[in-house]
Amino acid sequence: MQLALDLAQKARGYTSPNPMVGAIIVKNGKVIGSGFHQRAGMPHAEIIALRQVGKEAAGATMYVTLEPCAHTGRTAPCTEKIIAAGIKRVVVAMTDPNPLVNGKGIKQLKAAGLEVQCGVLAQEARQLNEAFIKYITCKRPFSALKTGMTLDGKIATHTKASRWITGAASRRYGHLLRHQYDAIMVGIGTVLADDPRLNTRLPGGGNDPLRVIIDSTAKIPLTARVISENPERTIIATTEAADKKKIAALRAKGVEIISLPPTAEGKVPLGEMMTVLGQKEITSVLVEGGSTLNFALFAAGLIDKVHFFIAPLIFGGTAAPTPVGGKGVATVEEAWRLTNVNYDFYEDDILITGYVQYTRN
């Protein structure tokens, strides 16, 4: 199963809105076939592995990281192919949370006389497809916040200088995250201050995420790089209070507009905006916003995971911005806490990764 999980990882960043899946076929104690799902619309991992082994599949065991599908979607059901190939036993890491599957695949395999075991390396399988699980069960994208700060918790100096806080290795990892997420999200303040490109710059290439700009009143300049470079990859989330002529000009440039009724404070309703992104089959969002947007997303319960880089620098300054601004919490008990925390080093920087806990026992 670990081999199957390792195979599935190879497609990270390419399978959305589908999950990453790996499959291994074993017979007489030897691996005779393997496969992983490479892109949505392409053959599933089980089918690729079965094609490799042909008639040798009869009597073999298949290890697969996600319950085989039993419905027709972009491809035909995998369960029918597994049964027809003569596979004797199927070991599954986890059931598929997709309501179209969710146990139906396992039930179909058992009804055909196959032995099925489920739950092998289930935790690892869930973490592999955490974005897919959130998207398919909640109809909203999995959202992760990535930020880099100094040892004293600053994301810029009091003069707004911020390049570069983290080192080259940390920045490379940041671009790897961009490759892995469907979309990258920032607020209008970041666009006005930095005019970022918000693309992926890895040595070997990689996917450029969709760019989602939160801009309540459509302040974004038509000359901004997220508009002048590949505007069809940019989404502006704004409100119905935005200037209609500006919206028309943005659409004429090829930018997609999400226009929603404003909140009482005149802001983009972030929960509704996330729902719209989910309707567009955006399964994951990497937030690289400033302190205002970051706090708003935390306050709305919309950040699932964090990637916090800490660099060995000290800026000082009461006016220097921090990663999460806004009003903040009133008591320590109200703080957002992380679970399943991991610590990694990227040269001199520390990366803290964890999942946000919104409810307390």
Side-chain angles (χ1 to χ4, degrees), residues 31-252:
V31 174
I32 61 172
S34 63
F36 66 95
H37 182 50
Q38 298 176 23
R39 289 182 184 272
M42 295 183 69
H44 287 187
E46 303 95 314
I47 304 306
I48 295 172
L50 287 171
R51 287 175 180 173
Q52 279 188 12
V53 302
K55 294 181 179 179
E56 287 297 310
T61 296
M62 174 180 284
Y63 293 82
V64 62
T65 59
L66 188 68
E67 176 185 4
C69 64
H71 70 291
T72 300
R74 289 181 170 90
T75 60
C78 290
T79 49
E80 295 178 3
K81 298 291 185 182
I82 293 170
I83 294 166
I87 291 287
K88 180 181 179 181
R89 177 171 174 254
V90 179
V91 181
V92 180
M94 63 171 287
T95 55
D96 190 337
N98 186 342
L100 295 174
V101 187
N102 199 14
K104 296 183 179 71
I106 290 173
K107 184 177 180 180
Q108 192 175 101
L109 293 173
K110 287 182 175 179
L114 279 72
E115 179 187 347
V116 181
Q117 180 182 355
C118 188
V120 176
L121 297 185
Q123 180 63 30
E124 290 84 347
R126 284 191 289 268
Q127 188 167 356
L128 171 73
N129 279 310
E130 58 193 13
F132 170 75
I133 293 169
K134 169 71 180 289
Y135 163 73
I136 207 67
T137 57
C138 301
K139 306 305 180 186
R140 282 181 174 180
F142 180 89
S143 301
L145 170 67
K146 194 274 289 184
T147 190
M149 64 182 183
T150 63
L151 199 59
D152 57 338
K154 308 297 185 180
I155 59 173
T157 68
H158 70 91
T159 64
K160 309 306 180 190
S162 60
R163 293 188 180 179
W164 294 105
I165 291 176
T166 56
S170 300
R171 297 197 298 274
R172 281 194 299 272
Y173 184 77
H175 283 282
L176 180 62
L177 288 175
R178 289 184 180 186
H179 160 76
Q180 295 174 354
Y181 283 77
D182 290 353
I184 182 171
M185 180 183 294
V186 300
I188 183 59
T190 297
V191 175
L192 295 175
D194 301 333
D195 192 22
R197 298 170 66 189
L198 301 180
N199 60 359
T200 300
R201 298 187 290 279
L202 293 171
N207 286 335
D208 284 337
L210 290 168
R211 300 171 296 203
V212 179
I213 315 299
I214 310 301
D215 185 4
S216 301
T217 55
K219 293 179 182 177
I220 190 167
L222 296 177
T223 55
R225 289 201 285 192
V226 292
I227 294 173
S228 61
E229 300 176 9
N230 305 114
E232 72 283 355
R233 300 286 297 171
T234 297
I235 298 173
I236 305 291
T238 189
T239 70
E240 294 170 352
D243 182 77
K244 301 299 185 291
K245 290 183 179 179
K246 183 66 171 292
I247 294 299
L250 288 166
R251 285 192 168 121

Side-chain angles (χ1 to χ4, degrees), residues 340-356:
N340 300 323
V341 179
N342 285 314
Y343 304 87
D344 295 288
F345 284 89
Y346 287 82
E347 295 175 343
D348 292 334
D349 300 336
I350 301 172
L351 171 61
I352 299 178
T353 305
Y355 297 86
V356 183

